[in-house]
Amino acid sequence: MSDERWVWGWGLSTTTDGGTVLDTWYPEPTTGRLPLGLDPAIAPESLDRLAVADERRAVRVDVIAIEIDLDAAPQSTPDAYLRLHALSHRLVLPNEVNLDGVFAHLPNVAWTNAGPMHPDDATRLRPELAREGIQIQGLDKFPRLLDYVVPPGVRIADASRVRLGAYLSPGTTVMHEGFVNFNAGTLGASMVEGRISQGVVVGDGSDIGGGASIMGTLSGGGSHRVSIGARTLLGANAGVGISLGDDCVVEAGLYVTAGSKIVLADEAPRADGGRPTAKGAQLSGVDGILFRRNSLTGAIEAVRRSGVGVTLNEALHA
């Protein structure tokens, strides 16, 4: 097996007094195997000095060094966190790392402005936390991306809207109402004002409009990995449950799913005068399509379009 399908790293692992590992931070994960001769017991000084207990949160911090096989399923909390770091450090693309059973290795954590802690300890120690100015910012299995990784060349207006494990390419802007889940993200400079769900990738130069939603694979029993092509516009408050090709546009407020009945407006009329139709799944991934709703009939229509799709503001995404 190629060493390129392995990732290793030094990390700082947070553990409760009861022995539950809450998280692990890897400052510089690296593709490949643990170097020969590396002694995990001899930690880098830059990390060793941070390996201290925090009685306020009832946790301790330990230095670890591990390697993981990206094709194998996660085996532990530090393993799961290294996979999420590999995605956010752009060492591996979304959907190219095995995340089977990852939720079982990610405990529910009380995320505070002083670091993670166990929810039970947060409840028990609330008066002491308030006295120390420690506030709970969230209760979730996934932390905020920016608490662990600061991707170069990226703008994120609201840190709470992007999870660790998101893959954001240089030039990406995530506005205040944009959201990017783990194992999802952008493959080039993109504007994100809507929701990019787990497993979804957005191509270079595309715009996910305000309030727009892209259906992921965590809910509803779906298995199709939705993708958005290059230079494609998903209009404000629109949504898709199918893939979009390059240079496509989905009209604002329109939701297109695999089962949507779509009129092929460019096709010749049938003998009865009506236009041919197709299900949304049949148009999944096709380039150069405008999806719109007929303002008179209310029918969803697909119209072929020529030329490039949207053009982003170069200064904004430089």
Side-chain angles (χ1 to χ4, degrees), residues 234-239 249-255 291 293:
L234 189 56
N237 297 314
V249 174
V250 178
E251 178 184 87
L254 177 63
Y255 209 113
F291 294 91
R293 189 175 293 281

Side-chain angles (χ1 to χ4, degrees), residues 1-19:
M1 181 182 297
S2 171
D3 288 353
E4 294 181 358
R5 295 300 297 165
W6 288 75
V7 171
W8 76 277
W10 287 101
L12 287 174
S13 192
T14 307
T15 304
T16 69
D17 290 346

Side-chain angles (χ1 to χ4, degrees), residues 301-315:
E301 296 180 338
V303 180
R304 288 189 295 269
R305 58 190 311 275
S306 59
V308 299
V310 298
T311 302
L312 300 180
N313 185 318
E314 292 185 7

Side-chain angles (χ1 to χ4, degrees), residues 170-242:
T172 294
T173 294
V174 184
M175 295 301 289
H176 296 79
E177 295 305 315
F179 174 82
V180 186
N181 210 339
F182 77 100
N183 194 38
T186 60
L187 304 182
S190 298
M191 171 61 79
V192 182
E193 298 181 271
R195 177 184 179 86
I196 301 179
S197 299
Q198 193 276 145
V200 174
V201 291
V202 175
D204 183 39
S206 290
D207 188 333
I208 309 304
S213 178
I214 306 171
M215 190 180 297
T217 58
L218 290 179
S219 302
S223 59
H224 173 61
R225 295 283 188 181
V226 176
S227 63
I228 306 297
R231 303 172 303 280
T232 285
L233 171 65
L234 189 56
N237 297 314
V240 290
I242 63 172

